[in-house]
Amino acid sequence: MYSSRVGSSKKGKAKVAKLPKKKCCVSSSRCKRCPIRMLKEGTLPPGYTVKKRRLVKIEVKGGKKKAA
């Protein structure tokens, strides 16, 4: 129930985002780290997408745009 740390405070600490699971568990109620749920909500980290219920890292091709 109680923390063993006395006087610890969460004030001033940065909030770290949860990373999604590598594969969806296909539960009817989506878990907090489900990649499908995170994709739908828009909370999936940049550079990632979901294909066939699996988390996939995508390459960002940085080409230069032609000035017209």
Side-chain angles (χ1 to χ4, degrees):
M1 291 185 134
Y2 294 104
S3 175
S4 61
R5 296 181 193 176
V6 177
S8 67
S9 154
K10 293 186 179 184
K11 188 183 270 188
K13 289 190 177 183
K15 189 174 183 180
V16 178
K18 293 267 187 175
L19 293 176
K21 291 181 178 180
K22 292 186 180 193
K23 183 179 177 184
C24 176
C25 57
V26 197
S27 66
S28 60
S29 61
R30 302 280 187 216
C31 62
K32 297 289 183 185
R33 292 178 51 217
C34 180
I36 295 173
R37 184 191 60 79
M38 291 180 83
L39 179 68
K40 182 179 178 184
E41 291 179 350
T43 57
L44 204 61
Y48 288 95
T49 189
V50 179
K51 291 185 180 178
K52 295 184 182 178
R53 291 185 284 132
R54 291 185 183 263
L55 187 68
V56 179
K57 186 163 182 131
I58 55 174
E59 287 186 26
V60 178
K61 296 180 181 178
K64 293 183 179 179
K65 293 183 179 180
K66 293 183 180 179

